[in-house]
Amino acid sequence: MLKKNIIIVGLTAGIVLTTTGFNSAKPSESPPEPAPIVLHEATVINALAAKARIVAPTGEVTKTISQQDENFWGHRNYKLTVHGDYILGVDTQDIDVSVSGNTITVRMPQPKVVSLDLPYDEMTVTEQKSLLRKELPEAQLKALYTKAEAEVRRDIAKDDEVQAKAERQMEQAVSGLLLKINGVDFVKFEEE
């Protein structure tokens, strides 16, 4: 029986010493730091691919073009005015990204017109013609409208103020999207 009590006391002392040793860890020791997050370009590209297109707010546009011709029957002058809205944007697949540490470098193409709404039935046409001249045929009117639409697109592409505003707004949108990725500290934009 004495032998049994010695074994029980020895086991109890061992358990107490072991438990005390675990609980007496120094409180100043900090837990191990988590492994740093490593960014991959594929992660960034997938985040961008979640949106097919990055767009800037809508703008309004008005364009007037004229056409004139003369022949044996007299003159004919037409002015066509179109009015509508446009949206500038870039397709996310055209955005170039590179990753260095926790910084993403982004190169975006120039914004382009991704939506242009110039209602054909809302255009205004004024005419001045000789009495012997006929009305402008529908086919020529459609050609004039198509010319106006092409000029609107060209004017928007050349408007530095509109382009700069759209670039700023799209950079903010892309930056907001990419900063949501775990581990991204900074998003930097470069000229293409």
Side-chain angles (χ1 to χ4, degrees), residues 146-174:
T146 302
K147 180 181 175 185
E149 182 180 24
E151 286 188 19
V152 165
R153 289 179 182 277
R154 194 169 38 253
D155 291 348
I156 293 170
K158 291 181 180 180
D159 190 329
D160 293 335
E161 185 178 324
V162 167
Q163 290 290 323
K165 181 179 177 184
E167 285 173 7
R168 281 191 309 274
Q169 292 169 340
M170 286 185 280
E171 285 177 2
Q172 289 173 350
V174 169

Side-chain angles (χ1 to χ4, degrees), residues 38-51 92 95-106 174 177-179 181-184 186-187:
V38 179
L39 292 174
H40 295 281
E41 283 185 24
T43 304
V44 177
I45 291 169
N46 285 338
L48 285 174
K51 289 187 165 248
T92 55
I95 298 174
D96 185 31
V97 295
S98 61
V99 176
S100 177
N102 291 20
T103 300
I104 300 173
T105 303
V106 179
V174 169
L177 186 66
L178 297 181
L179 285 172
I181 299 172
N182 195 15
V184 175
F186 187 68
V187 178

Side-chain angles (χ1 to χ4, degrees), residues 40-121:
H40 295 281
E41 283 185 24
T43 304
V44 177
I45 291 169
N46 285 338
L48 285 174
K51 289 187 165 248
R53 182 175 283 154
I54 305 293
V55 296
T58 303
E60 289 188 18
V61 64
T62 300
K63 181 71 175 179
T64 301
I65 62 170
S66 57
Q67 175 177 314
Q68 63 185 33
D69 65 78
E70 285 195 37
N71 66 18
F72 178 76
W73 304 107
H75 70 280
R76 181 170 57 190
N77 297 326
Y78 281 88
K79 282 190 180 178
L80 177 129
T81 302
V82 291
H83 180 79
D85 302 314
Y86 65 89
I87 298 174
L88 292 177
V90 294
D91 294 329
T92 55
Q93 66 189 16
D94 296 334
I95 298 174
D96 185 31
V97 295
S98 61
V99 176
S100 177
N102 291 20
T103 300
I104 300 173
T105 303
V106 179
R107 283 173 294 288
M108 294 195 333
Q110 179 182 358
K112 62 183 178 184
V113 176
V114 294
S115 174
L116 180 60
D117 182 27
L118 301 172
Y120 184 81
D121 58 340

